[in-house]
Amino acid sequence: MISRNTFKTVVLGGGESGVGAALLAQAKGFDVFLSDKGTLSEEYRNILNVHDIDFEEGKHTEERILAADEVIKSPGIPDTAPLVKKLYAQGTPVISEIEFAARYTKARKIAITGSNGKTTTTLLTYHLLKSAGFNVGLAGNIGESFAKQVIEDKFDWFVLELSSFQLDNMYQFKADIGILLNITPDHLDRYEYTFQKYVDSKFRLLQNMQPSDDFIYFVDNEAIASELDKKPFMVNHLPISFVKKDSNGGFFHEGKLYLTRHPRTFEISANELPIKGPHNAINAMAATLAAMAAGVSDEQIRQGLLTFQNAAHRLEPVADINGIKFINDSKATNVDSVYYALNSFDTPIIWIAGGVDKGNDYTQIEDLVRQKVKALICLGKDNSKLLSFFTPIVPVIIETQDVSKAVAHAVSLGHPDDVALLSPACASFDLFKNYEDRGDLFKAAVLDFAINSQKNDE
């Protein structure tokens, strides 16, 4: 038996997840070493120095890493990385920060995944519990590191947003309440361009769940329904649907949300919710069922739903210019997200899209674009795929690499009650640091234009 102080734990990656894991490993008495092939931020470098945690940056010292008893890997590092393959080949356990932290918490866990809607559903679920007075933490693919929060382990509940990359290296983790919102093609480059491998990754959410645990899922999603048909999952099923009302679960019909988790029922009109669109009806039903399962009262749920404010960059209203509503949906980095965004508006749309294509299949939004989009502004370095697909469909298409010019074009093309929608369908790394940077610059450009227009009017 190896004693804790000689058990060698290596953390690969020095971001929020990795530094949190290193702090927890140190707190538990392990010999910990952090390695990052890139450059650490000053904040994380200072944290490691203050806590006297050994680390390196700008390289991976293979000899030291391969000598580890266990490796905690950043979700951004694929299993196909040569160093990771060497670890697997010699039998070294490679786990995620979530798997590691879950060993040391007494808290019950609500775990949320899906191709789209994870962050909104996670934040709403957290808000429903927090506003009801629950002692609850927020972690995973959002906020402060799960591992860092587990050092003190002061919460009774954790709401965790989980990406497929995190799920891939989770083995013993068990969710008390699991939410699977949808599965659509995304990140396929990470899964050998095999959709089933991505589906399998998402369904790792259910591993270790028991019959008494609640599984909330959107059954109308073809990939989810198909997987559930293949094999039984011995959990408490709470399906959500727009098509069929089940005895247990969620049903959206004629603008109303109907929720049942025996013996309780709950109803609310979608018009009352601060988050709009059919996709947000799914998110709201999932979060509400999770809150019901956790024991939040009906009145607390209603108040929580009505007071929720979503995160930035998700169908975020920015400003009205000449009666044109500018909406920031920069987080929509795949086609499925754009489908939901387009479906959220009933007035003509000036669609701003583009960036780094991730193997997009635009056929799934072709009909919606025909019906709703009056103009397309391509904001990216390489717009060839957007142009080739949408030139026969959209009457007006303009290209630019300048977000301020994109806003100006939208104003010139728009009329009162039109929507100017930034919903890129692509990653942001050609022109921006990340989707937040893209969204922030878009908002700044919209507000600058609005202020200058007001000055000119004066």
Side-chain angles (χ1 to χ4, degrees), residues 68-329:
D69 295 299
E70 184 172 68
V71 171
I72 304 165
K73 176 176 74 67
S74 162
I77 302 172
D79 282 347
T80 53
L83 179 56
V84 178
K85 290 171 79 172
K86 288 180 182 179
L87 288 164
Y88 283 133
Q90 69 180 22
T92 303
V94 179
I95 63 172
S96 72
E97 174 232 351
I98 306 296
E99 173 79 1
F100 180 61
R103 296 172 182 171
Y104 302 104
T105 180
K106 65 182 186 307
R108 299 183 70 191
K109 296 175 287 295
I110 302 173
I112 300 164
T113 195
S115 302
N116 297 290
K118 293 188 296 295
T119 300
T120 297
T121 305
T122 300
L123 291 172
L124 178 52
T125 304
Y126 172 74
H127 176 72
L128 292 178
L129 270 65
K130 181 76 172 175
S131 62
F134 278 53
N135 181 27
V136 57
L138 176 71
N141 204 33
I142 186 172
E144 192 177 54
S145 159
F146 183 35
K148 184 178 177 183
Q149 296 183 64
V150 162
I151 294 171
E152 293 186 13
D153 200 29
K154 61 185 179 182
F155 296 115
D156 299 322
W157 287 86
F158 268 105
V159 181
L160 303 170
E161 177 188 332
L162 300 179
S163 70
S164 58
F165 299 167
Q166 289 166 317
L167 287 162
D168 286 338
N169 294 106
M170 291 163 58
Y171 306 98
Q172 302 302 317
F173 174 94
K174 185 186 86 68
D176 298 283
I177 300 169
I179 298 176
L180 178 54
L181 295 165
N182 46 62
I183 308 176
T184 57
D186 198 10
H187 304 298
L188 294 188
D189 53 335
R190 184 80 172 244
Y191 296 96
E192 301 172 1
Y193 295 95
T194 305
F195 183 51
Q196 184 59 48
K197 291 185 177 181
Y198 178 57
V199 172
D200 293 342
S201 175
K202 290 297 188 186
F203 266 84
R204 291 176 69 84
L205 175 74
L206 281 99
Q207 66 185 352
N208 307 314
M209 287 181 70
Q210 302 298 311
S212 59
D213 298 325
D214 292 275
F215 176 44
I216 301 161
Y217 56 95
F218 184 49
V219 71
D220 298 350
N221 178 262
E222 185 179 340
I224 293 175
S226 174
E227 200 66 19
L228 291 172
D229 283 342
K230 291 179 186 177
K231 54 189 173 183
F233 290 92
M234 305 307 292
V235 289
N236 183 37
H237 288 257
L238 295 171
I240 291 168
S241 178
F242 288 4
V243 178
K244 178 186 174 185
K245 187 173 185 180
D246 208 299
S247 59
N248 235 5
F251 183 51
F252 182 60
H253 182 64
E254 295 183 350
K256 201 162 187 178
L257 283 61
Y258 300 89
L259 293 312
T260 304
R261 183 185 182 274
H262 287 309
R264 292 174 59 189
T265 60
F266 179 84
E267 299 176 9
I268 191 168
S269 169
N271 288 335
E272 296 181 65
L273 301 176
I275 50 176
K276 305 300 181 184
H279 63 298
N280 277 322
I282 298 167
N283 300 337
M285 286 192 287
T288 299
L289 286 168
M292 292 170 77
V296 181
S297 74
D298 289 359
E299 184 54 34
Q300 289 170 331
I301 289 173
R302 183 173 298 278
Q303 287 304 311
L305 289 170
L306 298 180
T307 56
F308 175 65
Q309 292 185 335
N310 201 2
H313 313 298
R314 292 159 180 83
L315 290 176
E316 177 188 12
V318 181
D320 283 19
I321 301 176
N322 300 340
I324 305 162
K325 295 177 177 62
F326 279 78
I327 305 294
N328 167 32
D329 194 37

Side-chain angles (χ1 to χ4, degrees), residues 352 377 379 400-409 422 431-432 437-446:
I352 304 169
I377 299 170
L379 179 62
T400 183
Q401 293 183 15
D402 186 307
V403 69
S404 295
K405 289 181 180 176
V407 170
H409 286 311
L422 173 67
L431 296 174
F432 308 96
D437 181 49
R438 175 170 59 191
D440 288 339
L441 290 171
F442 174 72
K443 289 191 289 185
V446 171

Side-chain angles (χ1 to χ4, degrees), residues 366-424:
E366 181 177 355
D367 289 343
L368 270 179
V369 171
R370 284 184 190 277
Q371 295 166 24
K372 300 193 173 197
V373 175
K374 63 184 285 185
L376 169 60
I377 299 170
C378 298
L379 179 62
K381 286 187 176 178
D382 180 5
N383 303 306
S384 55
K385 194 169 178 180
L386 282 166
L387 291 169
S388 63
F389 191 92
F390 290 109
T391 295
I393 296 170
V394 180
V396 179
I397 299 182
I398 295 173
E399 289 189 85
T400 183
Q401 293 183 15
D402 186 307
V403 69
S404 295
K405 289 181 180 176
V407 170
H409 286 311
V411 173
S412 66
L413 293 166
H415 295 97
D417 295 327
D418 286 355
V419 169
L421 172 68
L422 173 67
S423 193

Side-chain angles (χ1 to χ4, degrees), residues 320-323 411 447-458:
D320 283 19
I321 301 176
N322 300 340
V411 173
L447 294 173
D448 282 348
F449 196 102
I451 291 167
N452 290 331
S453 296
Q454 191 174 24
K455 286 179 180 176
N456 293 335
D457 289 343
E458 293 171 353

